Amino acid sequence: MTGSGLGPNKRGVMPSFASVEEERRHRKERLAGAFRLFSLFGFNEGVAGHITVRDPEHRDHFWVNPFGMHFGHLRVSDLLLVSHDGQIVEGKGALNAAAFAIHSQVHLARPDVIAAAHAHSVYGKAWSSLGRLLDPITQDACAFYEDHVLFDDYTGVVYDLEEGKRISATLGTTKAAILRNHGLLTVGQSVDEAAWWFITMERSCQAQLLAEAVGEPVLIDPTYAALTAQQVGSHQAGWFSFQPLWDKISREQPDLFE
């Protein structure tokens, strides 16, 4: 295994890199690992879903999964490098037009966003059909307290760049969007962070659906919801929460590094 994982003494420290090549390799490894985890958690839905990471050198380019490849099979060598005019610069395979329409506009509008994740996960799309934001009913859901938005529209599969622009404008400076009748979209300053926000947001949707199925959930007081958001919703917290999952997938599925 040739992965650039963190050493045991650097567990809580975000990595630094000696070269752009090293950073690129790290980002691609984490991207492949995130896809493997999304497969493990059952976030696949046919050919739908995409995660992107900005290239550290060509910042108007991003790496993305080839259209039609199962998340559970994806390796570092399978990733596509795509320019912001939609050209495949490196890699083999087809580009998902919806992935380009959404992610190109998010990356363009948000220079702080290194990675973005979207999939048609079961609980995320179920919750999205309600056209509501998540409530602060659990500690984990507080990561999104006053830091996620509702894209309150649905006009079909997102192939149009103008639709991508509207999604990115609605996302604003937040970490996540609920795309009505569609699913979840999360962003972060690393693949680790964006992937973790998606995973925990999906579970927060599940938790609220379960709670509301049997009664009326008790909301956390706004003061404490805001405090908890600071504690569990930071960039560092999102990145760090992903590390045990990375350890698991990189150890159990080392072929992702190929």
Side-chain angles (χ1 to χ4, degrees), residues 34 37-39 41-45 48-51 71 103 115-125 134 140 143-144 175-179 182-188 190-206 238-239 241-242 245:
L37 287 164
F38 274 31
S39 175
F41 294 142
F43 297 165
N44 299 85
E45 185 74 18
H50 17 85
I51 314 173
F71 290 173
H103 290 256
H118 168 67
H120 294 184
S121 52
V122 172
Y123 297 104
K125 63 185 178 183
L134 286 168
D140 298 317
F144 303 98
K175 65 162 63 83
I178 296 170
L179 310 179
H182 190 172
L184 308 178
L185 172 70
T186 59
V187 300
S190 62
V191 172
D192 312 54
E193 182 189 352
W196 172 251
W197 293 144
F198 190 96
I199 292 165
T200 193
M201 193 176 198
E202 165 74 1
R203 289 173 169 172
S204 293
C205 291
Q206 181 182 8
W239 173 86
S241 294
F242 183 80
L245 297 176

Side-chain angles (χ1 to χ4, degrees), residues 11-14 189 193 197 233-242:
R11 168 54 57 194
V13 179
M14 298 180 72
Q189 294 185 356
E193 182 189 352
W197 293 144
S234 68
H235 299 299
Q236 172 73 19
W239 173 86
F240 189 58
S241 294
F242 183 80

Side-chain angles (χ1 to χ4, degrees), residues 46-187:
V47 299
H50 17 85
I51 314 173
T52 56
V53 64
R54 192 187 299 271
D55 186 78
E57 180 179 12
H58 308 291
R59 291 184 56 80
D60 60 346
H61 292 46
F62 57 81
W63 295 90
V64 67
N65 51 311
F67 188 43
M69 176 173 283
H70 195 282
F71 290 173
H73 294 165
L74 201 136
R75 304 165 299 174
V76 168
S77 60
D78 295 316
L79 296 168
L80 305 179
L81 179 61
V82 179
S83 67
H84 272 275
D85 60 1
Q87 299 301 308
I88 297 175
V89 177
E90 185 176 327
K92 297 179 180 180
L95 173 62
N96 185 330
F100 178 73
I102 296 173
H103 290 256
S104 66
Q105 299 311 303
V106 171
H107 284 291
L108 182 63
R110 291 280 299 274
D112 62 307
V113 166
I114 299 300
H118 168 67
H120 294 184
S121 52
V122 172
Y123 297 104
K125 63 185 178 183
W127 181 260
S128 77
S129 72
L130 302 178
R132 293 169 51 193
L133 294 175
L134 286 168
D135 292 321
I137 65 170
T138 66
Q139 176 174 297
D140 298 317
C142 285
F144 303 98
Y145 183 68
E146 296 187 336
D147 198 18
H148 73 298
V149 297
L150 172 67
F151 182 69
D152 195 13
D153 194 12
Y154 181 79
T155 58
V157 179
V158 182
Y159 291 138
D160 190 341
L161 286 179
E162 290 303 315
E163 185 82 347
K165 289 178 182 178
R166 292 203 300 123
I167 290 172
S168 65
T170 302
L171 179 66
T173 61
T174 66
K175 65 162 63 83
I178 296 170
L179 310 179
R180 200 195 75 203
N181 303 110
H182 190 172
L184 308 178
L185 172 70
T186 59
V187 300

Side-chain angles (χ1 to χ4, degrees), residues 1 3-12 26 29-30 33-34 36-37 40-41 192 239-254 256-257:
M1 184 172 69
S4 54
L6 297 176
N9 295 324
K10 296 183 178 180
R11 168 54 57 194
H26 176 86
E29 289 175 357
R30 296 300 167 117
R36 296 295 184 100
L37 287 164
L40 189 66
F41 294 142
D192 312 54
W239 173 86
F240 189 58
S241 294
F242 183 80
Q243 301 316 304
L245 297 176
W246 167 255
D247 291 344
K248 174 181 174 64
I249 204 68
S250 60
R251 180 176 298 183
E252 294 179 357
Q253 300 185 24
L256 72 87
F257 293 103

